[in-house]
Amino acid sequence: MGTITLDRDQEFNLDTTLSCGQVFRWTKVGAWWCGVVGDRVLKIRQDGQTLTFTGASPSFVRSYFQLDADLAAIVRSFDRDPFIHTATERCRGLRIIRQPAWECTISYLCATNSNIPMVRQRIEGLARQFGRELTFEGTSYFGFPRPHVLTSACATTLAVCKLGYRAAYLSETTSTLAAARGWEEKIRMLPYAEARGVLMSLRGIGPKAADCILLFAFQKYEAFPVDVWIRRIMSGHYAIPRDVKSEYERISRFARAYFGPFAGYAQEYLYCARK
DNA sequence: GCCCAGGGTGCGC
DNA sequence: GCGCACCATGGG
């Protein structure tokens, strides 16, 4: 059983962070959150400034939840009007998680044009069909499928996972990435715009999914994913310039210029406070 | 039956 | 480069 005691000024809200829709494999049972990250089962709870967990080392937990990022400074950097300010208050302690790149990529490929419960169901299906069985405290869990396993996945088994038309995208992108050694490091080194181009060259990864992956796996916080919720929120509350770019680029570029280098963080607060 | 959801692709213009 | 039909799937 590991423990981390947060400093008084080290703001963090585990509930908000895990339930805001950035990750899909966590569920809360009583006071405990239980989730699978890659091939590890992690159980964690928060009591005030204390995090208690099993299944991972303190350094993993720190890195996964990005506990050493200066959240107060990040929020201050984009807290520039009453509307976003309300969102930051409603979702106080929300941190952007650092997800494994492969898992994040496939997850957001599965997430297109779907609601969150559907995405969770798909990913759970993929894990059950193609992931390693992990026994944790007497219960079976399934790790996130590895690239080479998904590469050889047959269509009929894949169909069980209810991916719909995304199944073909998943097969192609899986093969591409399984053959592309060092793709993660390459993207990590590239600046935002170029990294985004590489991700968008993958089948089934468009502007929105690419931005999610850059934000949630690569810590490129200028990425500003625009889904239907964010599009509504942004056009409803902000004066988006009417240049000739596509609507996605209009909103996304405006947000970067307006909110600054942590625009993606602002997006997450807006998304979390959407209802 | 309809509309919607953390959209992407491929086409015609 | 932009707009638009189409794409499976389940829930409301």
Side-chain angles (χ1 to χ4, degrees), chain A residues 134-152:
Chain A
L134 313 164
T135 304
F136 182 82
E137 296 180 350
T139 311
S140 262
Y141 297 86
F142 294 88
F144 197 87
R146 287 151 184 240
H148 67 274
V149 182
L150 274 188
T151 304
S152 52

Side-chain angles (χ1 to χ4, degrees), chain A residues 33-90:
Chain A
W33 281 96
C34 190
V36 187
V37 183
D39 265 341
R40 80 176 75 220
V41 183
L42 180 53
K43 213 170 135 184
I44 183 165
R45 63 180 287 171
Q46 178 174 26
D47 301 278
Q49 294 296 99
T50 305
L51 295 174
T52 312
F53 48 88
T54 53
S57 66
S59 67
F60 179 90
V61 172
R62 279 187 182 281
S63 164
Y64 183 72
F65 292 106
Q66 292 284 284
L67 295 176
D68 295 324
D70 188 347
L71 186 59
I74 291 171
V75 169
R76 225 179 296 125
S77 76
F78 61 79
D79 184 10
R80 50 172 306 178
D81 65 63
F83 184 69
I84 186 71
H85 183 73
T86 303
T88 66
E89 289 193 322
R90 285 176 59 176

Side-chain angles (χ1 to χ4, degrees), chain A residues 244-267:
Chain A
V244 286
K245 303 282 181 192
S246 70
E247 189 181 23
Y248 190 101
E249 295 303 321
R250 272 204 306 265
I251 295 175
S252 178
R253 283 170 196 231
F254 166 79
R256 256 189 296 289
Y258 181 74
F259 291 122
F262 291 96
Y265 243 102
Q267 188 270 7

Side-chain angles (χ1 to χ4, degrees), chain A residues 83-84 87 91 94 224 230 233-234 238 259 265-275:
Chain A
F83 184 69
I84 186 71
C91 308
L94 167 64
F224 192 88
I230 292 296
I233 292 168
M234 289 302 289
Y238 294 96
F259 291 122
Y265 243 102
Q267 188 270 7
E268 212 39 30
Y269 277 85
L270 290 174
Y271 184 82
C272 181
R274 67 191 179 279
K275 284 176 186 169

Side-chain angles (χ1 to χ4, degrees), chain A residues 3 7 19 77-78 80 97 157 177 218 261 265 269 272:
Chain A
T3 299
D7 295 340
S19 62
S77 76
F78 61 79
R80 50 172 306 178
I97 287 171
T157 315
L177 290 182
F218 291 99
Y265 243 102
Y269 277 85
C272 181

Side-chain angles (χ1 to χ4, degrees), chain A residues 38-239:
Chain A
D39 265 341
R40 80 176 75 220
V41 183
L42 180 53
K43 213 170 135 184
I44 183 165
R45 63 180 287 171
Q46 178 174 26
D47 301 278
Q49 294 296 99
T50 305
L51 295 174
T52 312
F53 48 88
T54 53
S57 66
S59 67
F60 179 90
V61 172
R62 279 187 182 281
S63 164
Y64 183 72
F65 292 106
Q66 292 284 284
L67 295 176
D68 295 324
D70 188 347
L71 186 59
I74 291 171
V75 169
R76 225 179 296 125
S77 76
F78 61 79
D79 184 10
R80 50 172 306 178
D81 65 63
F83 184 69
I84 186 71
H85 183 73
T86 303
T88 66
E89 289 193 322
R90 285 176 59 176
C91 308
R92 189 173 290 279
L94 167 64
R95 285 175 184 265
I96 291 183
I97 287 171
R98 177 171 176 155
Q99 302 184 32
W102 157 253
E103 178 169 339
C104 187
T105 303
I106 298 306
S107 297
Y108 279 90
L109 186 154
C110 292
T112 60
N113 199 22
S114 307
N115 52 36
I116 290 173
M118 273 304 300
V119 182
R120 293 173 63 92
Q121 187 184 316
R122 285 187 188 127
I123 294 171
E124 230 28 63
L126 285 173
R128 194 165 287 274
Q129 293 298 324
F130 304 107
R132 272 191 189 177
E133 184 166 4
L134 313 164
T135 304
F136 182 82
E137 296 180 350
T139 311
S140 262
Y141 297 86
F142 294 88
F144 197 87
R146 287 151 184 240
H148 67 274
V149 182
L150 274 188
T151 304
S152 52
C154 70
T156 47
T157 315
L158 207 51
V160 179
C161 307
K162 309 285 185 190
L163 291 170
Y165 59 86
R166 302 163 197 79
Y169 302 160
L170 182 135
S171 297
E172 191 176 331
T173 284
T174 292
S175 304
T176 305
L177 290 182
R181 281 283 167 211
W183 65 274
E184 182 180 342
E185 291 70 20
K186 182 182 162 192
I187 291 177
R188 207 166 281 288
M189 280 170 37
L190 289 173
Y192 165 70
E194 292 158 52
R196 188 171 187 255
V198 175
L199 286 173
M200 285 177 63
S201 72
L202 299 170
R203 183 74 69 182
I205 306 293
K208 192 271 175 181
D211 279 331
C212 284
I213 297 160
L214 291 171
L215 186 56
F216 299 138
F218 291 99
Q219 293 73 55
K220 305 228 182 263
Y221 296 118
E222 65 268 55
F224 192 88
V226 181
D227 62 11
V228 294
W229 297 97
I230 292 296
R231 178 160 50 78
R232 283 199 288 261
I233 292 168
M234 289 302 289
S235 20
H237 291 88
Y238 294 96

